[in-house]
């Protein structure tokens, strides 16, 4: 059977350096899934929603500086992309509920990561393409009865 938790752990936006009164978009995939077109799409969303941030995993850590530099070159002001460290599974799923919307990576969707964020209760928007890896989130959302989240 399942273990009964001995205590309830509460997460807050503050504990992850996320602003309170802002729209928090997230994506917890490995950074290799963020191709230039996807980053460009996210930057455009952030520019059009001024009171918003993008929350990503520092996975791998070496990708953080490259991604921030590319976003700055696209005209995104500093502080609009926030990174967190990889966390144990329970914390990883729990913190997903702190985001408002998960923006999937179209080239290679979040597979397990997508289910984790949906399990946390956060909606995920996806843009399917032609390959199997780019259609997984679409299948997940259709199966869950949420086809409106598929672009």
């Amino acid at each position: 059977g399942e273990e009964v938790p001995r205590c309830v752990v509460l997460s807050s936006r503050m504990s992850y350096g996320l602003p309170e009164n802002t729209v928090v978009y997230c994506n917890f995939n490995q950074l290799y899934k963020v191709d230039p077109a996807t980053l460009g799409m996210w930057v455009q969303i952030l520019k059009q929603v001024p009171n918003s941030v993008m929350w990503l995993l520092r996975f791998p850590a070496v990708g953080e500086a490259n991604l921030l530099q590319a976003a700055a070159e696209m005209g995104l002001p500093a502080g609009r992309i926030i990174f967190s460290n990889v966390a144990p599974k329970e914390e990883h799923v729990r913190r997903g509920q702190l985001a408002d919307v998960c923006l999937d990576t179209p080239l290679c969707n979040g597979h397990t990561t997508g289910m984790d964020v949906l399990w946390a209760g956060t909606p995920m928007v996806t843009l399917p393409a032609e390959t199997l890896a780019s259609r997984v989130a679409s299948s997940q959302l259709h199966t869950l009865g949420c086809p409106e989240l598929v672009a």
Side-chain angles (χ1 to χ4, degrees):
E2 290 186 33
E3 258 185 62
V4 176
R6 296 174 194 221
C7 65
V8 176
V9 179
L10 300 176
S11 295
S12 70
R13 285 186 171 187
M14 184 177 22
S15 62
Y16 293 99
L18 301 168
E20 284 296 330
N21 296 311
T22 194
V23 176
V24 176
Y25 299 106
C26 75
N27 183 287
F28 297 139
N29 291 331
Q30 292 187 53
L31 295 177
Y32 78 85
K33 293 185 178 187
V34 183
D35 64 313
T38 299
L39 180 60
M41 185 171 35
W42 291 350
V43 166
Q44 288 306 310
I45 291 169
L46 292 169
K47 286 179 177 180
Q48 291 178 27
V49 183
N51 190 31
S52 65
V53 295
M54 186 70 187
W55 184 21
L56 303 173
L57 280 188
R58 190 174 283 119
F59 188 35
V62 69
E64 181 178 355
N66 295 334
L67 197 139
L68 290 174
Q69 178 181 348
E73 289 170 2
M74 294 177 188
L76 188 69
R80 300 291 302 280
I81 298 177
I82 298 169
F83 284 87
S84 288
N85 290 323
V86 174
K89 184 71 167 185
E90 186 272 334
E91 178 185 355
H92 169 69
V93 173
R94 185 182 68 246
R95 69 182 173 186
Q97 65 190 308
L98 299 175
D100 295 299
V101 178
C102 175
L103 301 177
D104 196 20
T105 46
L107 189 62
C108 183
N109 294 169
H111 299 180
T112 303
T113 306
M115 287 307 298
D116 290 343
V117 78
L118 291 167
W119 182 258
T122 301
M124 176 175 60
V125 177
T126 192
L127 176 63
E130 294 182 17
T131 66
L132 172 69
S134 70
R135 300 190 66 75
V136 171
S138 174
S139 295
Q140 292 169 336
L141 290 166
H142 276 93
T143 299
L144 292 170
C146 303
E148 67 278 7
L149 297 175
V150 179

